[in-house]
Amino acid sequence: MTPAIRAQLNRHAERLAELDFLLSRPDIMADMGQFLKLSREHAEVAALAQRWARYQQCERDLGAAREWLADPALASDMAALAQEEEAAAQQELAALDAQLQRLLLPRDPDEERNVFLEIRAGTGGDESALFAGDLARMYTRYAAAQGWRCEVVSESPAELGGYKEIVLRIEGENVYGQLRFESGGHRVQRVPVTETQGRIHTSAATVAVMPEPDEAEAITLDPSQLRIDTFRASGAGGQHINKTDSAVRVVHLPTGLVAECQDGRSQHANKAQALRVLQARLQDQARSERAAKEAATRKGLIGSGDRSDRIRTYNFPQGRVTDHRINLTLYKLAQVMEGDLGDILTALRAAREAELMAELEANV
């Protein structure tokens, strides 16, 4: 562990003492918003400080074991015990080192949020729409495997199957934290069902993963800047949904961003959901603009998340999937399309953590 990282950890231990003092003050306890904010910080800092204290204790244990082993008068049975303690201390130190470095990394405040996942067909016509449908199935299967709840907010089915556009809401633990790197351009190479001569075509779809806004922090929408239309839902839903104008479309006039919801039977519920999607898109737009500015000064390992980025290729003839941001190729395309995204998402997260750690060490 570098001296810079040690200094950072010592500062967190000092911050814990400050937080203990602040949380004991009557004026802080009387301000529930401030109290909750400091309590959340206290929980995070305490977890790190406790591990740092344990790390330092392990270092002392390791030093004691080595001093013991250096004693020429040590009996053989005691030497064996000292060697066991040395090995145990080394193993625990390695584990604690990895945990501490991960805890030091800057944490995305949206990591625990639910998401709106938007998939749009791109170049490739009918095949692109079919691919968008395949991606929607892939993500819903992954969500089911994680125990997450997934619902369709809006959909625009294509004539031959798949979707021109579909928006899913995924609810569960750490959803944005796991899916955040899926934003970008997804490319497929395969023989389309419409191809009569067996030629391989390349088509594309875009994915946008947007954290669901916190009601307290959501962008305030000015009603005068919105156009709200109602229309008859086009999807399946029984007699009721086809006979009433329950679907809602909201247009944000300054930006031209559009959100719609047709999943619920209540026009009121659909309007509320469409407004949440619109807020998420506005926040995602602001996030993308910030990322673009950052990318101008440094090239991120994971990329800016810009929708024009080609982040991944799904090659069916070769049975492979390649994530271009980290040069990862897996020959398990069939499993991936069934929702087995674990290896890809873990590798992307590890790459991002390595990049953040390099930045942390450079800036300390």
Side-chain angles (χ1 to χ4, degrees):
M1 184 179 291
T2 66
I5 295 296
R6 287 178 176 274
Q8 186 94 322
L9 290 165
N10 284 327
R11 283 196 291 272
H12 278 74
E14 293 167 3
R15 177 59 178 165
L16 182 62
E18 293 174 4
L19 290 167
D20 285 333
F21 170 72
L22 289 171
L23 289 170
S24 68
R25 284 171 41 177
D27 59 326
I28 297 293
M29 289 189 282
D31 184 343
M32 188 53 65
Q34 184 76 346
F35 181 79
L36 289 174
K37 179 182 177 182
L38 290 173
S39 294
R40 284 193 291 269
E41 184 185 355
H42 185 277
E44 293 177 5
V45 174
L48 194 149
Q50 288 165 7
R51 283 178 173 81
W52 175 228
R54 180 57 192 162
Y55 184 93
Q56 291 172 305
Q57 181 59 52
C58 280
E59 283 188 317
R60 289 191 290 270
D61 293 343
L62 179 60
R66 286 175 173 170
E67 285 182 13
W68 204 8
L69 284 169
D71 186 352
L74 191 65
S76 59
D77 56 337
M78 298 304 291
L81 178 61
Q83 286 173 344
E84 288 179 12
E85 291 190 1
E86 180 188 36
Q90 285 178 323
Q91 185 176 1
E92 188 173 0
L93 277 172
L96 287 167
D97 193 337
Q99 291 173 20
L100 286 166
Q101 293 197 41
R102 191 172 292 111
L103 286 169
L104 276 176
L105 298 178
R107 191 168 176 272
D108 191 321
D110 293 328
E111 197 152 291
E112 296 293 333
R113 295 206 187 286
N114 303 323
V115 305
F116 292 110
L117 191 150
E118 172 190 279
I119 305 170
R120 292 175 181 262
T123 55
D126 293 330
E127 169 62 7
S128 176
L130 290 169
F131 178 50
D134 292 338
L135 290 176
R137 182 175 181 273
M138 178 182 77
Y139 289 122
T140 53
R141 291 208 162 213
Y142 179 73
Q146 302 303 306
W148 297 339
R149 182 171 176 267
C150 190
E151 61 179 318
V152 177
V153 173
S154 65
E155 59 182 343
S156 178
E159 291 181 6
L160 295 183
Y163 301 99
K164 298 174 184 175
E165 176 185 337
I166 181 169
V167 178
L168 305 170
R169 179 180 181 272
I170 305 178
E171 177 185 349
E173 183 179 350
N174 195 37
V175 180
Y176 183 70
Q178 291 197 51
L179 294 180
R180 58 180 297 190
F181 299 125
E182 291 303 289
S183 291
H186 294 241
R187 184 176 70 169
V188 63
Q189 295 172 327
R190 64 184 176 188
V191 179
V193 293
T194 55
E195 170 60 51
T196 58
Q197 298 181 29
R199 293 174 299 186
I200 296 172
H201 287 228
T202 298
S203 303
T206 58
V207 173
V209 179
M210 303 168 289
E212 187 175 46
D214 186 311
E215 291 185 7
E217 300 173 4
I219 292 174
T220 302
L221 297 174
D222 183 349
S224 67
Q225 297 181 338
L226 302 177
R227 189 181 76 236
I228 300 176
D229 304 320
T230 58
F231 59 98
R232 194 160 297 178
S234 59
Q239 294 179 332
H240 175 86
I241 201 167
N242 289 323
K243 289 185 177 179
T244 62
D245 292 338
S246 59
V248 175
R249 180 184 296 112
V250 182
V251 181
H252 187 245
L253 299 174
T255 62
L257 289 174
V258 180
E260 64 181 50
C261 182
Q262 55 182 295
D263 187 54
R265 295 191 173 189
S266 159
Q267 187 180 112
H268 178 75
N270 280 337
K271 178 182 175 182
Q273 186 74 297
L275 288 170
R276 282 195 290 272
V277 173
L278 181 59
Q279 287 174 320
R281 284 183 175 159
L282 286 167
Q283 289 190 342
D284 185 59
Q285 184 181 68
R287 179 192 293 269
S288 295
E289 289 173 357
R290 288 195 302 271
K293 290 179 182 177
E294 292 172 5
T297 56
R298 66 169 180 82
K299 185 178 179 182
L301 182 64
I302 302 302
S304 66
D306 189 289
R307 304 298 171 259
S308 64
D309 287 348
R310 185 194 68 184
I311 65 168
R312 193 174 300 150
T313 295
Y314 305 76
N315 186 297
F316 277 74
Q318 297 178 19
R320 66 172 170 83
V321 57
T322 299
D323 196 289
H324 304 288
R325 296 164 293 180
I326 54 174
N327 296 319
L328 174 70
T329 296
L330 300 174
Y331 287 90
K332 50 180 291 184
L333 179 60
Q335 295 95 312
V336 168
M337 299 309 295
E338 289 296 318
D340 184 4
L341 291 168
D343 290 344
I344 297 174
L345 299 182
T346 298
L348 286 166
R349 191 177 186 91
R352 179 59 174 163
E353 288 178 353
E355 183 191 42
L356 289 173
M357 180 51 64
E359 289 178 5
L360 180 66
E361 292 179 344
N363 295 328
V364 171

